[in-house]
Amino acid sequence: MMLERLKNYIKANTDVGEGIQLGGIDGNTEKYIGVYPGKPPAAQRVCLGGAEQTRAGEFYATVLVHWGRNTRSAQAKADAVYALFYARGAFDMDGCTVCAVEPGGGPVPVGKDDRGVCEFVINLKMTYMKE
């Protein structure tokens, strides 16, 4: 559910080129964004009193920016997506309150795909209020 909200948030706040989707990208395009589940830590934080007392959750996601053959423009697009989350306070993300976002140190270049399209990854850790 949170991945869909993240996808909708990115789509509403930046140009997604030829599209955005969950769990993959259209490799036949040059400008596409993919939203993937991230790798959570071995254990989630649970408050004293158990799960019913835990009002916030942590969500991990990876955003793949697959954006053209020019490294400079791909970096600029990755930076624009990163800026959506960098130093953000609490905000609403498709009906869910996000308390904090940690987008890492910046977009990570992962090279070019088989067709020469540049790719960058942004790893997100989001703290949100449970419904």
Side-chain angles (χ1 to χ4, degrees), residues 28-76:
N28 295 318
T29 64
E30 287 202 17
K31 295 183 177 179
Y32 215 87
I33 296 176
V35 179
Y36 300 84
K39 184 178 179 184
Q44 288 282 323
R45 180 186 61 83
V46 177
C47 293
L48 290 173
E52 60 275 356
Q53 299 300 318
T54 304
R55 300 178 71 187
E58 292 177 344
F59 172 72
Y60 297 81
T62 299
V63 178
L64 174 66
V65 178
H66 172 89
W67 207 265
R69 297 173 193 275
N70 180 289
T71 302
R72 182 172 286 140
S73 62
Q75 173 78 55

Side-chain angles (χ1 to χ4, degrees), residues 78-98:
D79 288 343
V81 173
Y82 177 81
L84 295 175
F85 305 102
Y86 177 74
R88 284 294 307 260
F91 66 100
D92 180 76
M93 188 175 70
D94 202 19
C96 178
T97 300
V98 175

